[in-house]
Amino acid sequence: MSVESAPAPLSRVGNSNDQARRHNLSTILTLLHHGGSQTRAGLTRATGLNRSTIAALVAELAELGLVYETQQTDPGTVGRPSPFVHLTDRMLAVAVNPDLDAVTIGLVGLGGRVHSRVRHETPAAPGVAETIDIVTREVDALRAGLDDDQRIVGVGLAVPGLVRTSDGVVTLAPHLLWNDEPLAEPVAARVGIPALAANDAQLGLLAESLFGAGRGVDDIVYLNGSTSGIGGSVLVAGRTLQGSRGYAGELGHTLVNSNGVTCFCGKTGCLETEVSVGRLLEVLGVDPVDGDEFDRMLGETVDDAVRAEIDRQLDVLGVALGNFVAIFNPSSIILGGFLGSLFAANPARLQEGIRRASFGTLGEQVTVERAQLRTRLLMVGAAELAFGPMLADPAGVLGP
């Protein structure tokens, strides 16, 4: 399976042996990052390289501060024990997700481990300058708390809008009122760390494909719901749909009600105007809350008005997802953000709605589930973007 995470290409400097070594370092680090600790023997089987080459590569990764080894203790092992290779916590990424009412920032380690996550609430949609200020303050605070041998290698920004990944310019984020706003380069200049930006839904799909419900699945429709609306991304035959300009997957702007309200995009009756966390919060009678708390409130409610709104939104979502099943024929639908909470409140209703709205029997053959990473989802996805250059060429990024 191939899910693009914008890694930097290997440098062309050096001879063919050097290029092969750096490629193999990348392969081993990526295997450990996505698959967890493994023995040297397991890495030998996975890569087809010989034992002495694996030993040398692991030693180099250890010198770079990326891995360490422990001795195998399984008494049932036949022959000489093969050491286990583990990732260290020394290399870290900062993950950023600006949204309509907050900027969430996390510190993430290799292997998708979220060390910390802070939600900086804002009185209104944060502007680009405000977002950069928040990121700068948080990075300074995170640096102050690091151990001497720890290092932040990159910043990944998951943005609810159209993002030109080549240079990190946000072409359009209507809920945030951002239009042709440079983001990645100004962040990098302020914090002194490389920064990359991409669409939040694409990064959510990336995270779930590597660490969550999408592992080993090649055909997925992914929808993420937040205060900024609904974003989507589609995986077909193991590759994300990009479109001619890289903006494919704006599924939140699918028409579901021609008599509905006007969307931020200027159209009427978009999916995200009918299936909305704002409407759910209104009927719950609460202000925006953290995702875990919202999940609990929606799942435990016994209020008839809240249950009715949950069912109404599930019915609309079922129609949209049924259309997506007919168009993309996925084997799996994954729902992140508040959509995961909505689905968990009445799974059978949504599954039946998809079945009714799908073409033929396609709706009966698709698996529907919520994102396994829950509130860590966009932190892990944004960190994957930030780790991309190091995963592609660990020696080139971390070496002297």
Side-chain angles (χ1 to χ4, degrees), residues 7 24 29 32 88 144 158 180-181 218 276 280 291 372 375 400:
N24 290 335
L29 180 61
L32 295 168
T88 71
D180 287 329
E181 296 280 3
D218 284 345
S276 160
L280 290 167
Q372 290 180 359
T375 54

Side-chain angles (χ1 to χ4, degrees), residues 293-303 306-307 310 345:
E293 176 64 12
F294 178 79
D295 196 65
R296 183 195 65 78
M297 294 174 66
L298 216 60
E300 295 179 358
T301 185
V302 294
D303 186 283
V306 176
R307 297 304 311 179
I310 289 172

